[in-house]
Amino acid sequence: MTPILVLVDKLEAGQAWLKWLPVLCPAIASIVVSIVTSFPFQKNSLAANTAVELLEAEQEKFILGVTLPYRCYDVSEETQQQKKASQALEYFIVQVNNIHLNQLQQTSETQSEKTESTLSNESNKVEAEVTNQNKQ
């Protein structure tokens, strides 16, 4: 796109904003790229969508009773059925909590990686400053 913008700049159309176009477009592109690399929007949205899909799948399993822990209607006796229903509900809550816990762990791991990289960058700067001071 930049070569086209340079050609537009060579045209003498008399428009002042056309002369700034070859400078503004790369500047805007670099700003957008730095924002995208600084904040992992795609990674966060992918993790959130995965968690939503897992939660919806677990909800469907619970409602339909398709897996063994959720089958509480197979028993004919009322007290046994209530006991199985209680166990199914407990299992559902545990599964939902595990999904949330996994998502939180992934989020905290990415934040700790960012913190570790920031700390290592700062320590490298400090070491470089100390080395420079020792050389002087």
Side-chain angles (χ1 to χ4, degrees):
M1 182 150 180
T2 304
I4 294 171
L5 293 173
V6 170
L7 290 175
V8 169
D9 184 43
K10 298 296 180 189
L11 296 174
E12 295 185 19
Q15 299 288 335
W17 64 273
L18 281 176
K19 293 184 180 200
W20 285 100
L21 206 56
V23 175
L24 289 177
C25 287
I28 291 170
S30 67
I31 290 170
V32 168
V33 167
S34 67
I35 289 172
V36 167
T37 56
S38 297
F39 303 104
F41 296 118
Q42 183 178 9
K43 190 175 183 180
N44 290 345
S45 67
L46 183 63
N49 287 340
T50 303
V52 167
E53 291 294 325
L54 289 172
L55 289 170
E56 287 176 351
E58 199 64 36
Q59 180 184 13
E60 288 300 317
K61 289 179 196 174
F62 178 72
I63 291 171
L64 298 174
V66 293
T67 59
L68 187 61
Y70 296 135
R71 290 188 187 147
C72 58
Y73 304 109
D74 292 344
V75 182
S76 60
E77 199 174 312
E78 180 76 24
T79 56
Q80 285 292 88
Q81 191 176 18
Q82 286 180 351
K83 185 177 178 183
K84 289 283 275 182
S86 176
Q87 290 173 347
L89 184 60
E90 183 180 338
Y91 183 78
F92 176 73
I93 292 170
V94 168
Q95 291 300 106
V96 168
N97 285 339
N98 286 338
I99 293 169
H100 283 292
L101 183 62
N102 288 338
Q103 184 184 16
L104 288 175
Q105 286 175 342
Q106 289 173 353
T107 304
S108 66
E109 285 174 2
T110 56
Q111 288 176 351
S112 66
E113 288 173 4
K114 283 183 182 180
T115 305
E116 288 175 3
S117 66
T118 303
L119 291 175
S120 66
N121 288 339
E122 289 177 3
S123 66
N124 290 341
K125 288 178 185 178
V126 169
E127 288 176 10
E129 288 175 7
V130 169
T131 305
N132 288 337
Q133 288 176 357
N134 289 341
K135 287 181 181 178
Q136 294 174 354

